[in-house]
Amino acid sequence: MASSVQPVESAARQDKVTAPYGSWKSPITADIVSGASKRLDGTAIDGRGRLFWLESRPTEAGRSVLVKGEEKAGEEAIDVTPKEFSVRTTAQEYGGGAFTISGDTVIFANYKDQRLYKQSVDSIDSTPVPITPDCGSPVVSYADGVFDSRFNRFVTVMEDRRVSSINAITTIVAIGLNDASIEEPKVLVSGNDFYAFPRVDLKGERIAWIEWCHPNMPWDKSELWVGYISENGDICKRTCVAGNDNTIVESPTEPKWSSTGELFFITDRKNGFWNLYKWIESVNDVQALYSLDAEFSRPLWVFGINSYELIQNKEGKNLIACSYRQKGRSYLGILDCAQSSLSLLDIPFTDIDNITSGHRCLYVEGASAVHPSSVAKVNLDDQGSKVVDFKVVWSSSPDSLKYTSYFSLPELIEFPTGVPGQNAYAYFYPPLNPIYHASPEEKPPLLLKSHGGPTSETRGILNLSIQYWTSRGWAFVDVNYGGSTGYGREYRERLLGNWGIVDVNDCCSCAKFLVDSGKADGGRLCITGGSAGGYTTLAALAFKETFKAGASLYGVADLSMLRAETHKFESHYLDNLIGDEKDYYERSPINFVDRFSCPIILFQGLEDKVVPPDQARTIYQALKKKGLPVALVEYEGEQHGFRKAENIKFTLEQEMVFFARLVGNFNVADEINPIKIDNFD
């Protein structure tokens, strides 16, 4: 049964200023939002137990910098990455797993040339030294590597685009770390379309990895393999641990060796949720460690996911620190495998990404409705079952707490979809400002966001770009339509063969639910989304009449063009999401320009290889020719997703003023110079 949403409280303070929704003044400016958009791309511990993290900085044109945390209270964090370097890989376009630390050494991928470099983390004056060949251009990328001390080498995924930029060759390779000449990496595993998570055991005798092939994505069907390493460093034999049984549909992920040589991993066999398992090597079978209708991992869009850690308490007992998602929030727990018991740890985060184990502590990447993306040090008791201290050591937006009185807290809502008996989920943020309220007769405009992926999940966490809207008097809803992750395989597979149908219908159903609940003005419904969310936006505007305006950020307009031009990782993604050629045509908004009837603004990076710029240009020209109000903003130097502060700011402001001018019936309080809107100005 769908939960009800209570009407907006009318008991506002008597001294509040009455002003139309959307016109309120707010200190959460676009400058604040863009400057607060630092992104966390991983954490690690060195041989001395010191914390390091990788942060992407919009104020430095999106440069990614490895930072060494403070060693003593009051000390400053120190940049490890020299200014001429940026730690980022373009493997599979989305990257991730761009650095690895062992002892006092870091190996990282440099964005400009995509080569791997070795650097000491002990000295701020240490100069990175390349360890992979110079190919003349950034055509070979590396990700998700680990050190192999037995052979003094680095084992990593390699994506080679030298022969073909469209159909790159992906392998697992070994790179020697001796101070000899730089040589071509040695191929250890090859022959399949994709690889991830190469993990070498402590003795260097076995290597585990994940592989999958077209047309599957790694969350559809993948395989976990183990290879045995010979005396000369080659893999002499191999065995498939999970994923090769045709009677079981599963997608194993995140293999990890214990200090005693046991292999742990996560898979979604049986109950359809990603749960923890262990390999029984002697009989080549797998054992479930704890069964729960919850997701202990997430889809492999980026390399380097680390959802659990193998730890020991003070008594030497082996435990697993893990996080899982259930019904729209994350939990942190300690799994005692011997007892098959899971103890929850009480921390303020309601959203958790990666976990890194330190000395008697965990470093947890997380967030909540009042915490932006952060890293917290979580100290545990001697038994490893309770939290004795929780301290945020890194924040994407350390100044955000000064705006707490303006924060709109998300409500997890469950709403009926167009399929009888089937519900979907969303986070609803009501308009909130301590200074303003609107008249009781007015309902707020609503901005509905459709997340990217589409096999992904939006989270109910503090996001200043959402608060930018709500603090100005907009209602905002972030939808986890059918096909989203976080709710198990069955929910995830609602989108198979139905992309452009289920997602669109669910977004429209959510908007209608909020209007019927008295939470939004049905005449001022707007929709926005990036990438796959941009496609859902355009499809909703072309094939439905629910929304009055939309904004597409690097969105898809032509499914056939996307299939033909996109990168290897997603080149067959649509095979499972769409269907036959007729479906490709009938679900592409570009083929039905005559059905568009409302204003649209488009934003596009000119270096985007996932959704090439021609998509935005084609839809823009078609809508302009039809006579609809339309605008196109193109950004030099931006790829799939905007990283530069000035572009993040400009996008947010122009989206706001576009909706205000064409749908809102109000004037924005901010001084924003609107761009020219074709067929309107």
Side-chain angles (χ1 to χ4, degrees):
M1 180 182 293
S3 66
S4 62
V5 179
Q6 299 301 317
V8 176
E9 293 293 332
S10 59
R13 289 207 324 259
Q14 294 299 313
D15 58 347
K16 280 191 173 185
V17 177
T18 301
Y21 286 117
S23 68
W24 302 347
K25 290 182 180 179
S26 170
I28 304 175
T29 65
D31 276 312
I32 299 285
V33 175
S34 61
S37 297
K38 280 195 302 183
R39 197 168 77 184
L40 186 66
D41 290 316
T43 55
I45 298 295
D46 73 353
R48 291 164 54 185
R50 297 176 297 185
L51 175 68
F52 292 76
W53 62 82
L54 181 63
E55 65 181 41
S56 172
R57 299 172 177 171
T59 54
E60 296 182 33
R63 189 172 80 96
S64 294
V65 181
L66 187 65
V67 182
K68 178 165 62 176
E70 61 180 43
E71 293 185 59
K72 299 176 183 176
E75 290 185 348
E76 294 287 327
I78 300 171
D79 287 0
V80 174
T81 308
K83 290 190 178 299
E84 62 272 23
F85 289 85
S86 178
V87 181
R88 181 182 165 199
T89 176
T90 60
Q92 290 183 179
E93 291 302 323
Y94 298 112
F99 76 101
T100 307
I101 294 176
S102 180
D104 65 351
T105 301
V106 60
I107 290 178
F108 68 89
N110 182 44
Y111 175 60
K112 186 176 181 180
D113 58 10
Q114 287 298 289
R115 298 174 74 186
L116 288 181
Y117 288 76
K118 181 172 69 171
Q119 181 188 8
S120 169
V121 297
D122 272 344
S123 171
I124 59 173
D125 298 322
S126 173
T127 301
V129 176
I131 61 171
T132 54
D134 182 357
C135 298
S137 61
V139 291
V140 179
S141 299
Y142 306 87
D144 211 9
V146 292
F147 287 81
D148 178 3
S149 58
R150 179 186 176 193
F151 294 99
N152 191 27
R153 63 185 182 178
F154 190 67
V155 177
T156 181
V157 174
M158 182 175 83
E159 185 180 83
D160 190 341
R161 300 177 295 277
R162 283 176 288 191
V163 174
S164 170
S165 60
I166 298 295
N167 192 27
I169 298 170
T170 305
T171 54
I172 296 174
V173 300
I175 299 159
L177 298 179
N178 296 316
D179 293 330
S181 59
I182 298 173
E183 298 178 354
E184 187 73 18
K186 177 181 181 178
V187 175
L188 297 179
V189 184
S190 63
N192 217 330
D193 291 318
F194 302 100
Y195 297 94
F197 293 109
R199 299 295 183 259
V200 179
D201 72 8
L202 205 59
K203 294 181 179 179
E205 296 175 348
R206 293 167 298 174
I207 177 175
W209 69 86
I210 299 294
E211 64 178 61
W212 68 99
C213 62
H214 290 314
N216 295 309
M217 298 300 284
W219 49 82
D220 293 324
K221 194 175 190 308
S222 58
E223 296 175 348
L224 167 60
W225 286 78
V226 169
Y228 294 84
I229 303 173
S230 66
E231 291 298 322
N232 67 354
D234 291 326
I235 294 176
C236 54
K237 67 173 183 174
R238 64 185 71 187
T239 184
C240 189
V241 173
N244 67 334
D245 186 340
N246 291 329
T247 66
I248 300 175
V249 178
E250 63 177 326
S251 48
T253 185
E254 294 196 60
K256 189 168 295 190
W257 297 99
S258 72
S259 58
T260 57
E262 291 184 303
L263 180 65
F264 295 82
F265 64 100
I266 294 173
T267 191
D268 60 347
R269 59 170 56 191
K270 293 184 179 178
N271 68 350
F273 288 84
W274 276 310
N275 284 188
L276 281 156
Y277 284 75
K278 183 173 74 171
W279 180 40
I280 311 301
E281 184 176 10
S282 58
V283 292
N284 191 25
D285 199 2
V286 302
Q287 174 187 332
L289 299 179
Y290 192 82
S291 183
L292 189 67
D293 286 353
E295 301 281 39
F296 283 76
S297 188
R298 56 194 191 276
L300 199 162
W301 280 105
V302 296
F303 291 104
I305 296 172
N306 200 52
S307 305
Y308 70 100
E309 284 277 37
L310 308 175
I311 63 173
Q312 284 187 335
N313 64 13
K314 195 173 183 180
E315 300 164 354
K317 190 173 188 179
N318 293 318
L319 304 168
I320 300 179
C322 55
S323 67
Y324 65 87
R325 281 190 73 74
Q326 190 176 50
K327 296 180 179 177
R329 67 157 289 169
S330 298
Y331 298 87
L332 181 66
I334 299 294
L335 178 61
D336 184 334
C337 299
Q339 302 294 327
S340 190
S341 64
L342 182 65
S343 304
L344 293 183
L345 299 177
D346 186 14
I347 64 172
F349 290 162
T350 56
D351 182 87
I352 297 169
D353 280 334
N354 297 315
I355 301 172
T356 298
S357 62
H359 180 66
R360 295 277 183 270
C361 72
L362 301 171
Y363 290 101
V364 180
E365 302 174 22
S368 75
V370 293
H371 292 89
S373 176
S374 307
V375 178
K377 183 178 182 181
V378 181
N379 288 308
L380 305 177
D381 64 2
D382 289 346
Q383 285 71 44
S385 60
K386 291 184 179 179
V387 175
V388 296
D389 188 44
F390 175 93
K391 179 185 178 184
V392 173
V393 295
W394 179 89
S395 172
S396 61
S397 179
D399 295 330
S400 62
L401 291 182
K402 67 175 68 170
Y403 308 111
T404 302
S405 63
Y406 289 83
F407 291 166
S408 175
L409 302 182
E411 303 172 37
L412 177 64
I413 62 171
E414 185 175 349
F415 60 90
T417 68
V419 178
Q422 228 178 54
N423 291 344
Y425 307 91
Y427 296 100
F428 175 70
Y429 300 78
L432 180 71
N433 187 305
I435 309 298
Y436 296 91
H437 66 173
S439 67
E441 296 78 25
E442 187 186 6
K443 301 298 181 187
L446 174 75
L447 181 59
L448 182 145
K449 183 181 178 184
S450 172
H451 66 68
T455 312
S456 187
E457 178 189 9
T458 191
R459 310 282 185 97
I461 63 175
L462 178 59
N463 181 340
L464 289 186
S465 66
I466 292 177
Q467 304 300 327
Y468 176 83
W469 294 89
T470 56
S471 63
R472 284 165 173 74
W474 281 75
F476 193 104
V477 66
D478 215 349
V479 183
N480 276 319
Y481 47 77
S484 301
T485 57
Y487 296 90
R489 181 179 280 270
E490 184 179 342
Y491 192 84
R492 194 165 77 235
E493 291 187 344
R494 285 187 190 178
L495 213 57
L496 294 183
N498 288 305
W499 191 32
I501 298 175
V502 167
D503 50 321
V504 170
N505 288 341
D506 286 359
C507 286
C508 293
S509 295
C510 182
K512 181 180 183 299
F513 176 70
L514 292 170
V515 171
D516 292 345
S517 303
K519 303 292 284 184
D521 181 350
R524 294 189 291 176
L525 301 178
C526 300
I527 183 170
T528 186
S531 188
Y535 165 69
T536 302
T537 293
L538 294 173
L541 296 172
F543 305 128
K544 300 288 183 178
E545 297 180 353
T546 304
F547 301 98
K548 309 306 177 185
S552 171
L553 286 69
Y554 38 93
V556 180
D558 186 331
L559 293 170
S560 295
M561 185 189 295
L562 176 68
R563 179 177 56 177
E565 295 184 351
T566 198
H567 59 137
K568 178 186 175 184
F569 178 58
E570 294 183 82
S571 60
H572 291 267
Y573 188 19
L574 302 191
D575 293 356
N576 292 327
L577 292 177
I578 303 297
D580 58 25
E581 292 301 322
K582 182 171 177 281
D583 295 317
Y584 272 88
Y585 181 86
E586 291 184 347
R587 292 190 214 162
S588 293
I590 190 63
N591 298 324
F592 299 91
V593 175
D594 58 308
R595 296 194 188 178
F596 282 96
S597 59
C598 65
I600 299 174
I601 187 167
L602 306 142
F603 300 90
Q604 179 68 44
L606 293 180
E607 293 184 11
D608 193 337
K609 295 179 182 177
V610 179
V611 180
D614 282 350
Q615 295 261 337
R617 289 170 178 167
T618 302
I619 198 79
Y620 165 70
Q621 292 294 343
L623 295 176
K624 182 180 176 182
K625 184 177 180 181
K626 189 188 177 185
L628 284 176
V630 64
L632 171 63
V633 179
E634 295 182 325
Y635 295 124
E636 294 279 356
E638 291 282 19
Q639 297 174 299
H640 197 64
F642 307 145
R643 289 173 172 259
K644 298 177 181 178
E646 62 270 24
N647 297 337
I648 296 169
K649 173 189 175 183
F650 192 79
T651 300
L652 195 56
E653 289 183 334
Q654 293 304 322
E655 201 174 345
M656 168 71 75
V657 77
F658 183 86
F659 290 149
R661 295 179 70 198
L662 291 155
V663 177
N665 301 321
F666 56 80
N667 294 316
V668 296
D670 308 79
E671 291 186 8
I672 302 172
N673 292 320
I675 59 170
K676 180 180 181 295
I677 301 172
D678 291 294
N679 301 320
F680 182 77
D681 290 319

